[in-house]
Amino acid sequence: MIIDQNLRITLEKQIPALREQVRRLYTEYDRRFGLKGAAVPVTFGMETDVLGYYAPGGEMHSAMERFHFSLLFVGSYAERAISKEDRLDIFKHEYAHYMQRNMPIPKEYMWKAGKHGSDWKYCCSLVGAAPTEYYRAGDALIRHDYDKLLKNIWKDPNIPVLDIHHREQAYKKDRDSRVLYQTGETVTHPKFGEGVITGIEPKDGSVRLKIRFRNEEKMIDQKWLKRSTFKKPR
Ligand SMILES: [Zn+2]
């Protein structure tokens, strides 16, 4: 994109007002979160591929800590007038990056790393920024479900499921370890036929019975047996 001189002039004229808007917004957040984002220099450029960024400074990005915005996105000009809300959202987006770097983040929001990870989304929720990495016009007007977004999908939604599973397992184990027979009782086994219980061995999750069948004595899990109802224990 070739930026003509008139457009450049039009956009550069907006710098003081934009800078003031950023400063006011960030001052309000600073007060709320005990930060100093409004003191960070704000610069503007004509980038066509980047809306803005927060450079923490002293690192790879740039030597100077700063907020930077492209006038082609945050500025207004004849062909393209950005909505007030969308512009604000770009400012919020970068402030959330500033928060991500400068604020202690509660551990429960640290489950997804990355520049636009869960800690950043948590910061978005605090300032009401669209928690999306990529800009889409109108995103600022959407009501974002931060609660849903900030839930660790590997943790939270599975908790009830795991819990139910554990409870079912516990119930099953409990049911399977209950002794259902007594010594002396006559039982029927599908393969070995009728036999008399001579011993009971409760196990963890099962009950093994010593049964004397016609010719042999066997250890059988009680779940394979049928009670011979007409023969009472002696
Ligand atoms: Zn970003």
Side-chain angles (χ1 to χ4, degrees), residues 13-38:
K13 269 191 207 153
Q14 300 171 21
I15 290 178
L18 289 169
R19 188 173 278 130
E20 179 57 18
Q21 200 190 342
V22 172
R23 203 193 53 80
R24 250 190 321 212
L25 182 69
Y26 290 2
T27 301
E28 182 199 316
Y29 292 149
D30 284 353
R31 239 195 319 261
R32 227 196 289 169
F33 305 111
L35 297 169
K36 291 190 174 81

Side-chain angles (χ1 to χ4, degrees), residues 40-181:
V40 175
V42 181
T43 57
F44 295 90
M46 297 282 175
E47 292 80 6
T48 54
D49 57 340
V50 61
L51 283 74
Y53 57 80
Y54 163 68
E59 289 172 37
M60 53 193 131
H61 303 272
S62 115
M64 186 181 76
E65 181 188 25
R66 63 178 170 151
F67 289 103
H68 183 89
F69 299 99
S70 171
L71 289 167
L72 293 172
F73 292 98
V74 299
S76 324
Y77 53 101
E79 300 85 52
R80 197 177 161 281
I82 189 171
S83 80
K84 200 176 80 202
E85 290 82 10
D86 282 342
R87 176 176 22 239
L88 208 62
D89 191 63
I90 296 170
F91 296 156
K92 289 175 178 181
H93 180 113
E94 300 310 332
Y95 191 84
H97 279 308
Y98 166 80
M99 295 169 90
Q100 184 185 21
R101 294 294 294 248
N102 294 281
M103 208 177 78
I105 308 289
K107 253 217 231 90
E108 69 253 47
Y109 301 116
M110 301 286 279
W111 53 274
K112 189 169 180 266
K115 196 180 168 199
H116 298 93
S118 57
D119 54 343
W120 175 75
K121 286 181 177 165
Y122 166 70
C123 296
C124 286
S125 78
L126 297 178
V127 296
T132 45
E133 180 172 354
Y134 300 103
Y135 170 78
R136 259 190 336 215
D139 245 9
L141 294 173
I142 296 168
R143 279 180 63 94
H144 302 286
D145 188 352
Y146 295 109
D147 277 351
K148 196 172 150 198
L149 208 75
L150 288 171
K151 265 191 195 135
N152 186 341
I153 52 156
W154 296 111
K155 244 170 88 191
D156 288 4
N158 280 332
I159 285 172
V161 174
L162 275 178
D163 204 24
I164 286 164
H165 180 69
H166 283 159
R167 252 181 269 147
E168 276 172 359
Q169 291 285 90
Y171 165 75
K172 193 175 175 298
K173 210 163 152 182
D174 178 64
R175 188 192 58 194
D176 293 346
S177 29
R178 225 169 324 133
V179 179
L180 302 175
Y181 298 91

